[in-house]
Amino acid sequence: MSILQSIKKAAEQVTGAARPDRQHAADLVRPRKSNEFRFGDDGLVPNHPSWPLVVYRGAVTLPEDFDPAAVMEELFSANGWGDSWRNGIYDYVHYHSRIHEVLGVARGTAKVRFGGKNGRTLALKAGDVAVLPAGTGHQRISASDDFLVVGAYPPSGTYDECTTAADHAKAVATIPRVGRPRKDPVYGSKGPLLAAWKKD
């Protein structure tokens, strides 16, 4: 997170300026179908063996009277996805083997490759949300200068960052054990994510 973004986030948390309350954040959500993408194991990136990447296009309206990152943070928090951060997306392929992740685009545009070398590059823009099951490779290919993402995690799981072939064998064992979240980070307890990520 840049120093400017850190200062801005701290100021908003202290003053509440430009930060929506939970009801305002919920009111900014638009009903959207889930776009689902499944990826195989490419030898470096395992991806998830059962659950797809879920992308909601234009799921969140970002009006000028609220800080767009604060909207995403409040929405995710209201649905139990916390430990949020503000930044971009790394320009190298990586994945998390012990936790799921949500990425909400607060500002700008980017091309992001999901799934590793045999995956798919998606164009993302402000208001889009991607929900990555554990194991899903992701890498920024290009981005606008103002590109800003809010990331967050469900309450269960442990953050890790896997980038090498040496991580693969252990990750293949841990990924399926990461529990299904209780709520969709955008749509809550009745969200499309819960249907896409079915319990075994």
Side-chain angles (χ1 to χ4, degrees):
M1 182 184 316
S2 72
I3 293 171
L4 180 61
Q5 286 295 330
S6 297
I7 292 169
K8 188 173 181 183
K9 183 175 181 181
E12 286 169 5
Q13 288 175 335
V14 170
T15 65
R19 185 170 200 91
D21 61 24
R22 287 198 169 180
Q23 187 56 55
H24 275 116
D27 291 344
L28 297 173
V29 173
R30 298 190 289 186
R32 290 290 183 259
K33 284 185 171 182
S34 62
N35 296 282
E36 300 174 13
F37 304 90
R38 295 177 188 276
F39 308 111
D41 186 331
D42 69 8
L44 174 66
V45 177
N47 293 299
H48 199 283
S50 305
W51 298 340
L53 163 71
V54 171
V55 177
Y56 300 122
R57 299 283 190 187
V60 184
T61 302
L62 300 170
E64 289 185 10
D65 49 341
F66 290 124
D67 179 326
V71 171
M72 293 289 188
E73 288 165 347
E74 194 61 43
L75 178 62
F76 298 158
S77 175
N79 289 311
W81 290 61
D83 294 327
S84 67
W85 50 264
R86 298 179 182 199
N87 209 329
I89 296 173
Y90 294 139
D91 63 358
Y92 54 87
V93 66
H94 64 289
Y95 62 92
H96 312 296
S97 71
R98 297 184 289 163
I99 201 162
H100 310 303
E101 183 174 44
V102 60
L103 302 173
V105 182
R107 205 178 303 128
T109 61
K111 288 186 179 176
V112 180
R113 184 166 64 194
F114 293 100
K117 67 183 178 187
N118 298 326
R120 186 159 172 183
T121 299
L122 300 178
L124 299 179
K125 65 179 193 265
D128 291 347
V129 176
V131 193
L132 291 63
T136 303
H138 46 299
Q139 172 185 17
R140 174 180 46 81
I141 303 301
S142 64
S144 61
D145 290 342
D146 62 342
F147 183 59
L148 179 64
V149 165
V150 171
Y153 307 93
S156 60
T158 304
Y159 181 87
D160 66 343
E161 185 179 306
C162 303
T163 59
T164 68
D167 296 321
H168 185 271
K170 187 175 179 184
V172 168
T174 59
I175 289 165
R177 294 201 300 256
V178 180
R180 178 176 176 257
R182 293 180 60 204
K183 290 186 176 181
D184 183 309
V186 178
Y187 298 102
S189 58
K190 299 189 187 297
L193 182 76
L194 304 182
W197 293 6
K198 294 178 182 158
K199 290 183 181 177
D200 293 333

